[in-house]
Amino acid sequence: MKQITLIVLTVFLFFSCSDNFDLEKPDAKKFVKQLKNGTYNEFALAENGEKLWTLFPKFSMKDIPILLSLADDTTIINPFKHFPTNPISSIPPFRIDEKGNGEGIMLAEYLLWSVETIINNGDYPSLTPLLRQGKEPQLSVGLTGKDVLAVREKYLNWWNDYGKNGNISVSPLSGTGYWWR
């Protein structure tokens, strides 16, 4: 009897600790956790099972406050192949982390891009999840963490003034000089 109980508990523990992700009913906190630890693994697959590109979850307006609350982390995360980007873009993120782990993306900036994707009804706002200010022509010049957090404040203000009331006709970046590359 003890062996059966142990087996049942082991199986239950195994399935309850599953890191599976439901693209149709996504959990925003789990999404961010998987992005941070590099385990987000939802891909479009070719007929032979080969991974083509990472799929963006079907978030809705109700997920925006959670994503905005988590968009206060300016850590560079990588590998970037584990977070959804615009599949028609061949441009990888141009941020290099301080630890020398290669190209990555600033988490806060990426989550703001995710919010913008939700506002656009699942259409990506740009080829890459990189913010620019003014008419900055250089591809490799990005906003600082402090700048991204200032943009986050604009999104929070937009949410309180418009978004939570369902008014998405006004863009969070309208009149700010910031734009998605």
Side-chain angles (χ1 to χ4, degrees), residues 131-174:
L131 278 164
R132 296 288 181 252
Q133 184 175 20
K135 297 184 188 248
E136 181 57 57
Q138 272 191 311
L139 298 179
S140 61
V141 176
L143 298 180
T144 66
K146 183 178 177 182
D147 292 333
V148 170
L149 293 178
V151 172
R152 175 183 177 251
E153 285 299 313
K154 306 233 181 265
Y155 274 85
L156 288 166
N157 291 337
W158 169 86
W159 178 254
N160 290 325
D161 294 344
Y162 302 99
K164 71 179 174 184
N165 299 322
N167 182 0
I168 58 171
S169 63
V170 176
S171 167
L173 298 180
S174 180

